Amino acid sequence: MHPGGIPPAGAIPDSNIGRENPAFGSPVSGSGCSVNEKSVTNISYGDPVEQGSLGALITENSNNKPHHDRREQLYFNDGKRQIDFILAYNDDDPKKEQKRQRFIASLHEEGLMVEVEDASETNGGRVSFVKIHAPWEVCTRYAELMNMKMPIKEILIQALLNHDEQNDLAEDEESQQCLPKMPNPFEISEETLPEEPNYFTAAFNRERSNQFIIDDHETFFSHSQRTRIVYEVLSRARYDDSNKLRFGIIRMLDNDSYTAAFSLHEGSYSSEHSVITHGYENERRLLYELWAKPKAFYKQQPLDLIRKYYGEKVGIYFAWLGFYTIWLVPASLVGMVCFLYGCFTLYKNIPSNEICEPGGLGSTVMCPLCDQLCPFWELKSSCFYSRLTYLFDNPATVFFSIFMSLWGTLFLEFWKRKQHVIAWDWDVLEYEQEQESLRPQYEAQASHKKTNPITKLIEPYIPWWNKATRVLTSATTILFMLCVVLAAIFGVIVYRIVIVSVLYASDVALVRQNAKLTTTITAATLNLLVIILLSKIYRWLAIWLTNIECPRTQSDYEDSFTFKMFLFQFVNFYSSLFYIAFFKGRFVDYPADKEYVIFGYHMDQCDPAGCLIELCIQLGIIMVGKQFLNNFMELGLPFLMNFIRKKKSNISNESTKEQQASTRWEQDYVLAATPPLGLFDEYLEMVIQFGFVTLFVAAFPLAPLFALLNNVIEIRLDAFKYVTQLRRPLAARAQDIGAWYNILKALSILSVISNAFVIAYTSDFIPRLVYLYAYSGDEKKSVAGYINGSLSYFDVKDFLPTVAPDPNLEANKELNGTEICRYRGYNYPPGHPKQYHSTIQHWHIVAARFIFVVVFEHVVFFLTSTIAVFIPDEPGSVRDQILREKFLAKEALYAAELQKTKTKREDDDEETASAKELEGGGGGAGAEGLRYRPGT
Amino acid sequence: MHPGGIPPAGAIPDSNIGRENPAFGSPVSGSGCSVNEKSVTNISYGDPVEQGSLGALITENSNNKPHHDRREQLYFNDGKRQIDFILAYNDDDPKKEQKRQRFIASLHEEGLMVEVEDASETNGGRVSFVKIHAPWEVCTRYAELMNMKMPIKEILIQALLNHDEQNDLAEDEESQQCLPKMPNPFEISEETLPEEPNYFTAAFNRERSNQFIIDDHETFFSHSQRTRIVYEVLSRARYDDSNKLRFGIIRMLDNDSYTAAFSLHEGSYSSEHSVITHGYENERRLLYELWAKPKAFYKQQPLDLIRKYYGEKVGIYFAWLGFYTIWLVPASLVGMVCFLYGCFTLYKNIPSNEICEPGGLGSTVMCPLCDQLCPFWELKSSCFYSRLTYLFDNPATVFFSIFMSLWGTLFLEFWKRKQHVIAWDWDVLEYEQEQESLRPQYEAQASHKKTNPITKLIEPYIPWWNKATRVLTSATTILFMLCVVLAAIFGVIVYRIVIVSVLYASDVALVRQNAKLTTTITAATLNLLVIILLSKIYRWLAIWLTNIECPRTQSDYEDSFTFKMFLFQFVNFYSSLFYIAFFKGRFVDYPADKEYVIFGYHMDQCDPAGCLIELCIQLGIIMVGKQFLNNFMELGLPFLMNFIRKKKSNISNESTKEQQASTRWEQDYVLAATPPLGLFDEYLEMVIQFGFVTLFVAAFPLAPLFALLNNVIEIRLDAFKYVTQLRRPLAARAQDIGAWYNILKALSILSVISNAFVIAYTSDFIPRLVYLYAYSGDEKKSVAGYINGSLSYFDVKDFLPTVAPDPNLEANKELNGTEICRYRGYNYPPGHPKQYHSTIQHWHIVAARFIFVVVFEHVVFFLTSTIAVFIPDEPGSVRDQILREKFLAKEALYAAELQKTKTKREDDDEETASAKELEGGGGGAGAEGLRYRPGT
């Protein structure tokens, strides 16, 4: 905290001391300038007094309502030492008790303070709690060991800057390019969110502790820092001296010696006071008010506050989610425009007019769409489909596909930048994952011993033949499951064939008329249900399989699980779409074609209007249906349960467990634990959605809009879950979204290919173009006559007996005397020497389709890679700032050196001391600098 | 050097003390294990005594022939202080003299020692030299400031390891996977190359200097380290107090105050002693014997020695060149096999047999290949071309294209790994380019002032409108030059059309028969000459343009120059190939086609055997010709000049300048300076070659072989240049090959696309395949009849009068009565309702071609990106080693901490001291750790 920010400790009521931290959250893009630049340029070298008074204000605000009731007690029973961590257990097995005692002793050795709360009456007398507090000495020691970066006094920086430069800086960066501020309804009002003071940070060092801004030992380290420190001790504490490997809280949780280990929420998220203009009781409540409550749905997220409360890993997820949602806005708008273009030009479309208008091709007799049970039909009954198709299959779609390909690339490139800025802003740019310890399950199953190449300790390990068996089992099961998915899709295809036959065989004309649409919609819904069901089964299976595989470390475990889940969900969600887009009806050349027959039936075929509309319906139902079900499970179900519970509670006066609990830790204990795989499900859901938005966007330009609507709700749902439903997670650090970035990148590349093929193969864009330029006649280029040219002739006599429509059916009565029917395709008519073989136009179109794919892909990939090259990963302003920091550090070194050689040890005056201090830090890059240099 | 490595200083003759450095170079892949693993795993924890005796041996070896003659003097006149740098000047302009004096004074202030050698008689009395020596105090001060990593005593490491672990280590890594050693003729024998001792390094710190292995102040810092230290001082020394920006040796060189600044070679590279088994006189001579002399052409390069003598930047170039050359071996072999496959199946090829064998299609009358002057001809005269084409256009070519695409990716991926290993081995992994100073030329031309965002100093700068004018000028000129290149290619096309007509019009039958081949070969040679000429002109132009652009810093300058040069050379070298591969003869549909006529002539066409053979000839001539000319300029020309000079010197007894020079510095001064753009030309040449090897490999499978042959010579030529022809360059640091990696990557991607199109469009692979599977008749699939099917009919009556062959020509007499001639193409015959329009087969083939492109590209890119994902950038062993280093550092910290808290300050014993020392280094990551943390 800034000097003067906190009144002397005595002035603060005991009960709530130190709940305030120097850095209050603020949205990354808070006050008006452009989003990316803001968090970098908007640096203020404010007057210390001003900042001080601000600090005082905050402290006052937050301390004006101390909690004297035990329910919100965050301290040891002496009311002074704050609780940094809670361990819980609910048995008295003597073996476990022994481990716990040894464990607690280890904590004592390290200097942690512990207070045990025995099983209390209120909780049914079952759960005991261990409260842990990290005293100042432990905090500083571990902060130094863990290289924690803490704020340093400005005097150090001022020694490096001339006075006029400082003024320059302040003016420069405050006023730069900032337009007069517009009121922004999306912004969080500044009154509710206190400003964060500015400071330089440096790795903490006890010997130089006077250089750091330490006003109060209780507040110097933030809650998440204290938690991390305690967790570091916990994860190294020994619980059994007989074995080197028996240490750490993870193993203690795994062997059930403890049932839970968590840090406390800062209080209740709800309060009697509904207005928060004059302050707030705790950060959890602030998060609820500003972020998690439904009414805030249109507001920016208070990212800094989220990061402070939940750590960088959760913070970066919400930053990504918010960023993605904002980027969906332009995509939705352009998608809407393309759709509207389709709507407005709907009745100007010549091909569909030819089908629909009387005197056109409407009375053309078409061949049946399925075997035996389907009747001959007139082209005009395809009118509705034809109109509908045009909405999604018009020239604007091609433009939109290219647009979305570029959008995908730009989105990912700009996210990389944004991520870089956030990582820099949150000081995790140089954070690296440390060497991980083994998973306890791995140790338990490993029968062999080996030397770890890094620690050189003898470790248990699973030899490769054992490992291979495990992986093989897992791989086989996955393959089997993928086959199940494909079988399910095949099942739906069979359903389609059967149901369309049944509907056409119906005696009711209405049913017959809507047979196609009914089939498509019910089949898509069936598909969705199968997908959801398989997801649930597979999720359970994936965990089971990953456990069988028994990966070495937690991150191996997560990688393996992620790979399995993503592979499966990819196939599960997208394969029906791929089928419709590229395979459906592609193999049947002409109605009497003998190949590709299943169960005696021909494979199902699309309407003459094309498969695009079916793809569109399928995509719409699966995507929107999934989102709806998802949100219902997350949002609707709890409400419903609550409603039912309330109804019940009118009868019995039983209160909920949370209300029963009398202390903060008991309240938190009954909450759900953070899921072991963290944000996995949230990321997976969003990545699948990203796939829907990009992969088949040519077929469904409204996908981004539906995704946008979903995400606006999704953000608040996730926020609500984190604030109210879960225990406070350990503030984990992360500098990026990890493997998901590469998955998104792969999806965006795949989407270019997929869209190229959708336009070339699924839509009628290319055949229309070929007709227009090569076959429409020389004088006026127009698509008039295109439909007629795309229908080939078939002689009814050539039908195989098993395929020919049954003349006795009700539906067939009308057009029973047909001798020549027509079908979609470019084949020679009956009687031609090459009857039913492809015409020159067919090959011309095939060539054009593939030329389009080649051109489209090369152009788009060239554009996207050019864009990627020209957008640097690091914004210029951040790069300058980092270089400036390095420059300052180096200059300080050189200056100090030169002075030393010139003056040869004069008495230390204040300025030299500070310069020397910096130099002392600079000289030793030892911890990273120690390395082994091998020779020949 | 290892303890005991150097005898007490008194025992060493004064004159040559300290020329030996602790770490002698050794090839990265020296002794038997696999290339990549070796430098990592082959670590020996040798007995100190053994290493000591080795060190003593080296010292003895190198000191057994002290140079008492002044010609090899590397010391100040007192014979003790070694010369670390030389500055030279050859005028006595008082203004410059003033600057020099102020400059030298700055050096004195910093503590450097200076000795001036005034213009001597021997050198015509014109050049004076300033010798610079960095004393111990300066070296240590700057080593600390520059964070130099120096060897530390093993006792520190031993404190961290248990004793049995050390034994483990030694055994483990010495014996790991090493097969019994085979004698390797490519290896440098170990007798000549002394072994390098092993040690850990840490950032140097004067306060902890007792922890470092300092046996001798003269030898502790290596020559390149001393040079870098002096250069650091030189580049910051002020020469004029009136302006903050007037400092640095670069500006002093630029304003001609000094004419040269360089460090000295270690002696002469040639010697009377031709055998070097018992030692060597200096590292330069060692480099010459082991590396640069032509006889060593098959040996591995002594990379560590190169790196030590020339710095990491040069070292990494030669490492890359060697790596690339080795990778060319498998490519050459597979290319050879494909070529041989063509040779062996030559007479089994049905299409060319049909053309060549009597009774086949040989007597088919073909339409003339050019307008008016060309005669009708019989297909059998295409026999030779047809046979030749088959050599390069057979099924093996498709396989080879895929192979080379994968080869390119694998090569780049494995180079990335190798580069990582080298960077780690050479301790430059964490090296980062520092903020650069402005180029003096920029300052001179900049009229405006601005605050530098990093240093906050007021700097001159060129405002954007001025900059834009400069860039626009430059861009226009480049565009113009690109047009010149295209014009030159167009010129060659015209040459081709004209010459083929002239040759056909010849009365001599032999000339007429070889008309096509003569034209192709002379045109290609002409093309090569134009390319070489344009290269020379453009190089000069590019420098001029970059100077006009006036980039801010040296690396901006290099980037701008690289971009310009590469863009131009790419178009210059490859565009004629792209023309032949994809455009030549593509636009003329049938002989009477009225479109695409230039100067009244039809565009030139390929032989009916296809354009592939022309592409092959063109590629062969340009690539091999360029390499030949290049090597001739580098190798032959100096020899020729020497020969002429020797002839002359028999008459006048004038000796060369170098022989005249009486001191080392005078000898070095007359050598060429290192080119200002460093290794630019070498890299560019290799990258262009990489393009030849990959871009059109489908047309010329022997390209890798020729590249291999060239590179074996190239390595030794470059080595020879560096050892004997150039001044010793400043040992620059680098961790990779920079922008060239991305250029190579782009080329390898382009090569996949290019090869896909060459196979699909230039070769006959696809038409043959389509014929085989769709048009060859139902019973036996064979390409018999393919040639006949690929030739369309043309009615001679349909010739335009300007095109029809002149019946009066000698050549035309023979087949003058022809009524129907045939040409390559799939058009309907005359008389057909769609006469001369494309047949269905044409569109079928077009479709197949593009389907092939799509399939080929998707398969290859999928394979290459999968490979790229599965090859980690960092080999596992290096990753383990880096993690192990971090682990050791961290463990040392924790151990020291725990001990401290437990024992509460006992007396320091040795072990604690060392642990504490390490900890002291670890705590302060200050230099990097200082950073500014912005708030809202």
Side-chain angles (χ1 to χ4, degrees), chain A residues 31-167:
Chain A
S31 63
C33 297
S34 78
V35 175
N36 273 320
E37 299 295 309
K38 196 261 126 196
S39 61
V40 178
T41 55
N42 202 357
I43 291 160
S44 71
Y45 280 74
D47 185 307
V49 178
E50 195 189 77
Q51 289 195 11
S53 63
L54 181 76
L57 184 75
I58 296 161
T59 314
E60 197 191 341
N61 285 346
S62 53
N63 281 301
N64 62 1
K65 197 180 169 295
H67 292 286
H68 290 293
D69 59 4
R70 205 164 177 264
R71 286 200 57 200
E72 295 303 323
Q73 177 66 283
L74 296 167
Y75 294 84
F76 276 21
N77 289 334
D78 62 3
K80 277 182 182 156
R81 288 169 291 171
Q82 47 181 310
I83 300 169
D84 294 315
F85 227 85
I86 291 283
L87 304 176
Y89 56 97
N90 59 0
D91 63 50
D92 37 34
D93 178 351
K95 270 190 197 162
K96 289 180 185 169
E97 186 57 35
Q98 199 184 354
K99 282 180 193 162
R100 280 197 290 268
Q101 276 173 6
R102 177 66 190 88
F103 193 71
I104 298 289
S106 303
L107 301 186
H108 273 301
E109 274 170 37
E110 284 286 342
L112 292 185
M113 294 179 179
V114 167
E115 194 174 71
V116 179
E117 193 87 13
D118 274 332
S120 68
E121 275 300 305
T122 48
N123 214 345
R126 286 187 305 133
V127 184
S128 304
F129 294 94
V130 180
K131 294 179 271 185
I132 298 173
H133 167 74
W136 176 248
E137 190 274 327
V138 176
C139 287
T140 52
R141 179 150 48 88
Y142 270 85
E144 191 175 322
L145 288 172
M146 294 163 76
N147 248 330
M148 275 187 181
K149 292 189 180 170
M150 304 305 298
I152 53 174
K153 288 179 184 163
E154 287 203 9
I155 188 112
L156 283 176
I157 311 308
Q158 279 158 4
L160 296 174
L161 302 168
N162 302 331
H163 266 281
D164 49 336
E165 284 180 33
Q166 286 182 50
N167 294 338

Side-chain angles (χ1 to χ4, degrees), chain B residues 12 56 110 150 172 210 214 275 293 295 315 393 561 607 627 688 811 885 899:
Chain B
I12 303 175
E110 283 285 344
M150 305 304 299
D172 244 37
N210 61 320
I214 306 175
V275 192
K293 74 173 179 191
K295 271 187 195 168
D393 182 9
F561 184 74
D607 188 86
Q627 292 183 347
I688 295 286
E885 282 157 14
Q899 204 154 12

Side-chain angles (χ1 to χ4, degrees), chain A residues 533-676:
Chain A
L533 186 72
L534 284 175
S535 287
K536 300 283 170 206
I537 294 173
Y538 186 76
R539 202 193 139 74
W540 169 83
L541 202 67
I543 294 173
W544 186 66
L545 287 174
T546 316
N547 285 336
I548 284 186
E549 272 181 40
C550 200
R552 261 187 91 239
T553 63
Q554 185 61 22
S555 62
D556 286 354
Y557 187 91
E558 284 172 22
D559 287 350
S560 173
F561 184 74
T562 305
F563 175 75
K564 268 202 260 316
M565 278 302 279
F566 181 74
L567 181 71
F568 179 82
Q569 295 291 46
F570 182 86
V571 175
N572 193 17
F573 276 102
Y574 302 134
S575 50
S576 66
L577 298 171
F578 277 105
Y579 166 74
I580 292 175
F582 305 126
F583 299 107
K584 188 171 177 183
R586 295 279 183 259
F587 302 112
V588 182
D589 260 2
Y590 62 104
D593 200 352
K594 290 189 206 81
E595 295 173 60
Y596 309 106
V597 171
I598 38 174
F599 303 142
Y601 285 101
H602 273 102
M603 279 179 73
D604 61 347
Q605 268 182 286
C606 298
D607 188 86
C611 286
L612 196 81
I613 189 64
E614 282 201 34
L615 180 61
C616 175
I617 292 172
Q618 181 88 4
L619 181 61
I621 287 181
I622 290 185
M623 175 180 165
V624 178
K626 172 182 180 280
Q627 293 184 346
F628 178 78
L629 280 179
N630 225 62
N631 290 348
F632 175 76
M633 302 289 274
E634 288 194 46
L635 184 72
L637 215 61
F639 266 111
L640 208 68
M641 298 293 277
N642 264 336
F643 184 73
I644 294 168
R645 204 186 293 149
K646 268 188 190 163
K647 281 269 168 190
K648 271 189 184 171
S649 69
N650 282 343
I651 304 161
S652 76
N653 217 344
E654 221 175 32
S655 55
T656 62
K657 267 194 177 181
E658 193 173 345
Q659 285 164 341
Q660 260 186 353
S662 64
T663 59
R664 187 72 252 150
W665 47 89
E666 283 170 359
Q667 288 176 55
D668 281 7
Y669 183 70
V670 296
L671 293 179
T674 326

Side-chain angles (χ1 to χ4, degrees), chain A residues 43 196 198-201 206 424 427 432 434 454 884-886 890 897 924 931-933 935-936, chain B residues 26 196 198-201 206 232 424 427 432 434 454 884 886 890 897 924 931-933 935:
Chain A
I43 291 160
E196 194 177 348
N198 307 310
Y199 38 70
F200 279 86
T201 61
R206 278 170 298 167
W424 176 76
D427 228 354
E432 269 173 79
E434 283 171 19
I454 292 148
R884 171 105 182 118
E885 282 158 13
K886 283 192 180 154
K890 199 175 172 185
E897 265 311 318
R931 54 161 307 211
Y932 185 69
R933 204 185 155 293
T936 310
Chain B
S26 72
E196 193 178 348
N198 309 308
Y199 38 71
F200 278 87
T201 61
R206 279 171 297 169
E232 179 78 14
W424 176 76
D427 228 354
E432 269 172 80
E434 282 171 20
I454 292 147
R884 169 101 181 122
K886 283 193 181 152
K890 197 174 174 185
E897 266 310 319
R931 54 161 310 213
Y932 184 68
R933 208 188 154 291

Side-chain angles (χ1 to χ4, degrees), chain B residues 18 53 82 103-104 111 140 237 380 459 469 530 557 619 702 712 715 733 737 804 810 863:
Chain B
S53 62
Q82 48 181 309
F103 193 70
I104 299 289
T140 51
K380 63 185 168 213
E459 261 182 7
T469 324
V530 171
Y557 187 92
L619 181 60
L702 294 179
V712 169
I715 292 177
R733 286 162 76 78
I737 58 172
E810 178 67 26
L863 282 179

